[in-house]
Amino acid sequence: MTNHLAGILGIGDTARHARPFARIEDGRSLSYGDVEAQSARFAAALVGLGVRPGDRVAVQVEKSIEALMLYLGCIRAGGVFLPLNTAYTPAELGYFIGDAEPALVVCDPARAAALRPHAQTAGSRLETMGVWAAGGGDHGSIFAHLPEGAAFSDVARGPEDLAAILYTSGTTGQSKGAMLSHENLGSNAAVLAEHWRFTTEDVLIHALPIYHTHGLFVATNTTLVAGSSLLFMQKFDTGAVLTAMGEATALMGVPTFYTRLLGEAGLTPERCRGMRLFVAGSAPLLAETHRQWETRTGHAILERYGMTECSMITSNPYDGARRAGTVGHPLPGVSLKVTHEETGADMARGEIGMIRVKGPNVFRGYWRMPEKTAEELSSDGWFITGDLGMIDDEGYVVIVGRGKDLIISGGFNVYPKEVEGEIDRLPGIVESAVIGVPHPDFGEGVVAVVVPEAEARREQNRVLEPLCERLAKFKQPKRVVFVDALPRNAMGKVQKKDLREAYADLFQPAL
């Protein structure tokens, strides 16, 4: 048995060793042969550090090409890669490390002191990884374990073996670890490379983070499958992206990328002349953004729909109408249906219901949560996404809302219950309701509607400042609204729909 995912990604394909894989902002470049050699060194280092097949490797480091090689090395060593958002605080990371019990935790050198106690409690070894910099800097302890030789025999892993665990916020405040297999990741990358027409001639601008599905699996894995190249950026910068368009062919981004680029005078049809594809996902793209982009550049953004548990599910067509406000059709091999929220019965076209999906991309369940897995993943493979939508007369899928009050801000999932729990524990707070409302830059902005005690001062910073140490920045409310009482129905349930309507224009510019 070979290593299933490494084979699909083309690791070990000597025929393309001379081809360019990535050019980095610091001037370095990697060929596919370098990818083979460097990922082999990381794989050997992981094995030397005690990582065995099926062991988890938890990673919270800044974006770098070395971090990408660590991911590939983990796959080749038979490990289970567990990327963690760099915005997560030590308090949040304590849960992830304790739940996953990784054999190894790799973190930024600056975070080692804060994370070491969590690693020790979980029985995990801790190593550090910094961002390579010419002339010095703390590159991290893991580099001392890289062998000089590049030879490594990949650990055998089959389609059903786990390749990664990605934590997604839970509605109760407890995050869930979505278990993704070699088949889940490999099949999705292969389908996307074909569906979006990626070839060896493509050059993708990679400005996404690599701790979640979009940047790590969609962008990177699709590039590897196709034998394409990356312009690898540590972070999104409008000027750098506009410059890169002169030699690139594709961009994958969240809606925020496109709204910010639209604010640049340098975004012109001439600048985009060599580009063939702009992909948007991870959050809803406003129809107005879609229209403005096409007017300014002559290109229609291709919007798609995915989630942590399923990677990519649908896509607007490469050829044919890319319709604003829709996420296109199910990808080849993926089944999608809309069902009644309570009975599960299939809904007719044009009727709104719960979206369910099935296919080789659907995850294997939640780590150590069999009951939660049984609730959302049926025995015959249908996954209840929690998203509400419909299929129109032409077969396009339209997402109309989300169950469980999920907020997607800047491409990141925010579950209100977690934020509410942190606010409600603050002194002087009676209760809170956290909602998402339209935001011109982030898609949705997080808003906390708070009921304070009668004598408490109604000051926004009294709520926001304590959250800085407890919640990642993307989860923190962008605005706090104080009210005397929350709206409730006859059963006493908070009516968040009413709140979203009341504050829908909170982030809109004044006319």
Side-chain angles (χ1 to χ4, degrees):
M1 184 172 66
T2 60
N3 187 294
H4 185 78
L5 181 56
I8 291 176
L9 299 181
I11 304 298
D13 181 0
T14 58
R16 63 181 188 178
H17 273 189
R19 287 196 50 75
F21 169 69
R23 190 162 78 253
I24 309 159
E25 289 175 304
D26 59 21
R28 293 180 295 156
S29 60
L30 269 69
S31 67
Y32 272 87
D34 294 329
V35 172
E36 169 81 18
Q38 295 302 320
S39 63
R41 294 180 70 197
F42 276 103
L46 293 179
V47 172
L49 290 169
V51 174
R52 299 293 178 259
D55 281 351
R56 279 75 61 207
V57 177
V59 178
Q60 191 201 40
V61 298
E62 297 301 320
K63 183 180 179 181
S64 69
I65 199 69
E66 288 78 19
L68 208 57
M69 295 304 104
L70 174 61
Y71 154 62
L72 295 175
C74 181
I75 296 300
R76 298 181 67 182
V80 179
F81 197 67
L82 173 52
L84 294 165
N85 193 321
T86 53
Y88 284 144
T89 65
E92 291 169 308
L93 290 168
Y95 168 75
F96 300 129
I97 294 171
D99 186 57
E101 294 184 314
L104 177 66
V105 175
V106 183
C107 69
D108 185 274
R111 300 185 181 120
L115 296 187
R116 197 173 301 280
H118 296 301
Q120 291 174 340
T121 299
S124 309
R125 178 167 183 151
L126 186 139
E127 300 287 344
T128 61
M129 172 184 273
V131 176
W132 186 89
D138 187 354
H139 297 165
S141 62
I142 196 167
F143 292 98
H145 299 282
L146 299 181
E148 290 300 321
F152 182 81
S153 297
D154 291 355
V155 174
R157 296 272 89 185
E160 301 301 314
D161 288 317
L162 292 189
I165 295 177
L166 267 63
Y167 277 89
T168 181
S169 297
T171 55
T172 63
Q174 186 177 46
S175 294
K176 303 170 291 185
M179 299 185 291
L180 300 166
S181 70
H182 280 242
E183 181 186 32
N184 293 153
L185 300 184
S187 65
N188 210 236
V191 165
L192 293 176
E194 181 176 357
H195 196 71
W196 291 342
R197 310 285 176 83
F198 273 83
T199 73
T200 56
E201 301 303 311
D202 276 302
V203 179
L204 174 69
I205 299 172
H206 194 307
L208 292 160
I210 56 172
Y211 46 70
H212 65 30
T213 296
H214 198 169
L216 185 60
F217 300 144
V218 179
T220 305
N221 287 355
T222 301
T223 297
L224 286 164
V225 167
S228 306
S229 302
L230 297 175
L231 294 177
F232 194 78
M233 301 178 177
Q234 190 170 14
K235 62 181 180 179
F236 173 75
D237 176 83
T238 54
V241 169
L242 283 174
T243 298
M245 285 183 189
E247 51 188 321
T249 64
L251 170 68
M252 294 184 190
V254 297
T256 301
F257 283 18
Y258 295 102
T259 58
R260 293 186 179 179
L261 286 167
L262 282 167
E264 296 290 323
L267 181 69
T268 63
E270 178 65 21
R271 173 60 60 183
C272 302
R273 185 175 58 180
M275 299 289 289
R276 69 168 186 86
L277 182 63
F278 293 95
V279 178
S282 297
L285 181 74
L286 296 178
E288 181 59 25
T289 303
H290 189 285
R291 287 190 288 269
Q292 288 182 16
W293 188 269
E294 188 165 11
T295 299
R296 286 278 299 276
T297 69
H299 291 268
I301 296 173
L302 187 154
E303 190 172 7
R304 77 338 178 249
Y305 164 56
M307 59 196 316
T308 300
E309 291 91 340
C310 307
S311 294
M312 295 305 100
I313 301 168
T314 72
S315 171
N316 265 272
Y318 185 84
D319 295 317
R322 300 174 189 174
R323 293 175 50 185
T326 80
V327 292
H329 306 94
L331 288 165
V334 178
S335 299
L336 180 148
K337 62 182 179 179
V338 176
T339 63
H340 192 279
E341 285 190 75
E342 296 180 2
T343 66
D346 291 353
M347 306 291 283
R349 286 199 171 189
E351 294 184 336
I352 296 172
M354 181 64 65
I355 295 175
R356 302 185 187 220
V357 299
K358 181 179 182 180
N361 57 316
V362 175
F363 75 138
R364 295 298 182 256
Y366 294 113
W367 174 256
R368 293 177 173 172
M369 288 187 175
E371 293 182 359
K372 192 65 179 174
T373 299
E375 288 176 13
E376 300 186 16
L377 184 61
S378 67
S379 58
D380 59 353
W382 285 98
F383 173 60
I384 303 172
T385 65
D387 290 326
L388 300 176
M390 68 174 184
I391 302 173
D392 70 15
D393 290 340
E394 296 181 42
Y396 284 76
V397 177
V398 180
I399 310 297
V400 299
R402 289 182 295 278
K404 307 172 185 175
D405 296 321
L406 172 67
I407 302 166
I408 300 181
S409 183
F412 299 122
N413 289 358
V414 180
Y415 278 91
K417 189 69 175 179
E418 179 183 13
V419 184
E420 290 164 358
E422 296 295 342
I423 294 174
D424 292 349
R425 72 167 64 179
L426 298 176
I429 301 299
V430 176
E431 63 177 344
S432 65
V434 172
I435 58 173
V437 301
H439 191 288
D441 199 11
F442 295 97
E444 287 185 302
V446 181
V447 175
V449 184
V450 175
V451 178
E453 293 178 354
E455 67 278 8
R457 297 193 309 275
R458 299 190 174 199
E459 298 174 356
Q460 177 166 281
N461 285 345
R462 292 188 64 250
V463 175
L464 296 182
E465 287 178 0
L467 301 183
C468 293
E469 298 298 320
R470 300 297 303 174
L471 295 171
K473 187 173 180 60
F474 68 88
K475 299 178 185 177
Q476 296 169 26
K478 300 192 183 313
R479 196 74 61 85
V480 177
V481 177
F482 293 98
V483 296
D484 294 327
L486 297 175
R488 283 182 159 82
N489 64 12
M491 300 300 292
K493 182 178 180 180
V494 174
Q495 298 299 282
K496 287 192 174 182
K497 181 175 179 292
D498 293 347
L499 292 175
R500 285 191 287 267
E501 291 175 353
Y503 301 109
D505 297 329
L506 195 61
F507 296 112
Q508 303 309 306
L511 297 177

